[in-house]
Amino acid sequence: MYGKLSGMTGTADTEAYEFQEIYGLETVVIPPNRPTRRKDEQDLVYKTTVEKFNAVVADIKDSHERGQPTLVGTTSIENSEYISKLLTAAKLPHKVLNAKQHAQEALIVAQAGRPGMITIATNMAGRGTDIVLGGNVENQIKLIEADASVAEADKAQQIQTLKEEWAGLHEQVKAAGGLRIIATERHESRRIDNQLRGRSGRQGDPGASRFYLSLDDQLMRIFAGDRVRAIMDRLKMPEGEAIEAGIVSRSIESAQRKVEARNFDVRKQLLEYDDVSNDQRKVIYQQRNDILEAQSLVEQIGNLRASSLGEVVRSFVPSESVEEQWDLAGLERVLRDEWQLEVALTEMVNKSDSITDEDVLELVVKTGDTVFADKVERVGIDQLTPFMRMVLLQSIDQHWREHLASLDYLRQGIHLRGYAQKNPKQEYKREAFELFSQLLDVVKMEVTRTLMNVRIQSQEEANRAAEAIEARAERVSNVTYTHPNEDGSVSQEAAADFDAAKFGHVGRNDPCPCGSGKKFKLCHGKLA
């Protein structure tokens, strides 16, 4: 819906095909500002999950003892909490970063590059904060600058001390190998794995990354687990030993591509179905905008009225038919009862022998135009236009909501058409188009019928109606009422201003105003 589409991300290359297919966007890879020095080590595949996590904890402990900061990536909160328990048992200080720590998220990430720091993250992506080797000193400098109790000279001295301290930590972390990425599982999407790896080795900094896998991981179990397990059994590998081979890593990447292709097909199919309702949405919203922006709706209402009355006439007087096929009496009855139109069609036919079906249609449409023009003249076009706009918009909105619900129901079961050797997408498009056509017809008929049935009262008629309402209120005030007595019985009393002359205004089933407790039709209103 935008004139131009573009974007920038460090992990778009793996999704280049989808960008091209869905959005028509070419993906251009821009070389890094400085050569990447990060060392991406081959995956280690263990036989069981327990062996894998033991190896992960051993790697983290080694990095921590060497003063190398470590970022541990997991695919779920459960795994991150499990590793946290293992590290606690190993007495390794660490920070856990997941949805439960969103308030301190930026602070945790900012300091994840300090020497020996261990940070556990779930589905680690950009997070909006760089992991600076040696820690982020900018936040500390801002705190000093904002402290009003410290003199300017002292601020400058403290800031300089912080920068010198950070420079030493920065060099210490670089000497230890930079930020180390340890991933406990391969994600279904290579893009997420690349995001995690990309946190290390930024702007030419040193770094390292390694993925630890087990045959119990979901991705391995579905795609490559049996084959790798057979290799391990054949080699009689001892417990705790891992497979480290390029063929395994390539097999895993191939599995990830298959999952990505399947997910892409799902999104593409969903988009194709959504395009159907989106095209209809454009039509509806264009109509609504036209209605909202139009100064006069007389022409639009006239077209709707002519089309609606034409359909009514054609259901009784078919096109290019002879007089014997016409049901003029039924047409007159429908026009009178449903459309408030008095059209003497039978009389017109009796007076002339050369009446055609087109003449009948023309007379009905002309009568409808005349009746509506009379309403416009009585109330004024400026007064009637807001009412017409409200009727149009309410009808469109109500039936559009119902239409969207119908499309949703249709979408849920349309795949069953495949069992009948039919293309579900084509069947969905065809039926959605039929539903949309019905929507437009219903709106047209409903709006026209509402506007034709609305009664425009003159001021005198409005006054008479108001007097009738007041008279009705007076009659209600004269109705008897009941109240319980102390002994539990019920007493009925007539209103103090009871007047027998007003019996004519009492409903037949209302209590009689005399106070007898009987219905009026069984008391003073009883027929002789």
Side-chain angles (χ1 to χ4, degrees), residues 36-43 197-198 200 207-211:
T36 303
R37 296 168 57 193
R38 183 185 67 244
K39 182 181 179 182
D40 295 328
E41 301 169 4
Q42 289 187 349
D43 299 354
R197 263 186 172 146
S200 174
S209 69
R210 167 160 269 168
F211 281 78

Side-chain angles (χ1 to χ4, degrees), residues 76 154 229 234 471 499 514:
S76 66
D154 294 337
R229 191 184 298 273
R234 196 178 304 122
D499 186 358
C514 72

Side-chain angles (χ1 to χ4, degrees), residues 65-223:
E65 290 173 351
R66 290 187 291 104
Q68 184 177 18
T70 308
L71 177 64
V72 184
T74 66
T75 57
S76 66
I77 293 178
E78 290 80 9
N79 284 344
S80 65
E81 292 178 344
Y82 178 68
I83 292 179
S84 176
K85 291 180 181 178
L86 295 178
L87 294 180
T88 302
K91 297 181 180 180
L92 292 173
H94 60 279
K95 296 282 187 179
V96 180
L97 176 63
N98 56 38
K100 296 181 179 180
Q101 285 82 30
H102 63 278
Q104 298 180 339
E105 181 175 305
L107 182 62
I108 294 174
V109 175
Q111 303 306 321
R114 297 180 71 85
M117 183 67 71
I118 303 171
T119 308
I120 304 173
T122 305
N123 279 346
M124 188 70 187
R127 297 285 183 183
T129 308
D130 243 351
I131 297 179
V132 180
L133 300 187
N136 193 332
V137 74
E138 297 297 326
N139 291 336
Q140 295 171 285
I141 292 176
K142 288 179 181 178
L143 290 175
I144 293 175
E145 291 176 344
D147 192 351
S149 62
V150 181
E152 291 297 326
D154 294 337
K155 285 183 181 180
Q157 181 62 37
Q158 291 181 16
I159 290 173
Q160 183 62 30
T161 303
L162 277 175
K163 288 183 177 180
E164 292 175 356
E165 180 183 343
W166 172 82
L169 294 175
H170 182 72
E171 292 301 323
Q172 179 183 342
V173 172
K174 287 177 67 176
L179 179 65
R180 180 168 180 78
I181 304 294
I182 297 176
T184 61
E185 191 175 339
R186 280 279 188 176
H187 198 274
E188 285 186 350
S189 172
R190 290 172 297 160
R191 188 176 66 85
I192 306 298
D193 292 342
N194 291 341
Q195 282 181 338
L196 178 60
R197 263 186 172 146
R199 302 319 312 277
S200 174
R202 299 167 83 89
Q203 294 294 324
D205 287 337
S209 69
R210 167 160 269 168
F211 281 78
Y212 287 83
L213 313 175
S214 78
L215 300 184
D216 296 329
D217 294 347
Q218 184 177 3
L219 198 66
M220 293 290 293
R221 191 171 64 249
I222 295 175
F223 290 97

Side-chain angles (χ1 to χ4, degrees), residues 269-330:
Q269 188 176 37
L270 182 66
L271 184 65
E272 289 175 350
Y273 279 106
D274 188 61
D275 281 342
V276 176
S277 59
N278 190 48
D279 292 339
Q280 297 176 359
R281 187 180 295 113
K282 290 178 182 177
V283 174
I284 289 295
Y285 275 71
Q286 184 59 49
Q287 288 187 355
R288 293 187 84 261
N289 289 336
D290 292 342
I291 293 169
L292 289 169
E293 296 170 1
Q295 296 296 323
S296 173
L297 297 171
V298 174
E299 183 179 353
Q300 292 186 36
I301 297 298
N303 294 334
L304 294 178
R305 183 171 57 252
S307 179
S308 300
L309 292 177
E311 290 184 13
V312 174
V313 170
R314 289 308 179 194
S315 62
F316 292 91
V317 182
S319 179
E320 300 181 358
S321 59
V322 295
E323 189 175 330
E324 286 74 12
Q325 297 175 283
W326 300 352
D327 182 9
L328 296 180

Side-chain angles (χ1 to χ4, degrees), residues 338-357:
E338 298 184 14
W339 302 87
Q340 306 300 314
L341 291 178
E342 294 288 347
V343 188
L345 296 173
T346 306
E347 182 181 344
M348 180 186 71
V349 172
N350 292 336
K351 289 182 179 180
S352 177
D353 297 332
S354 59
I355 298 297
T356 65
D357 59 287

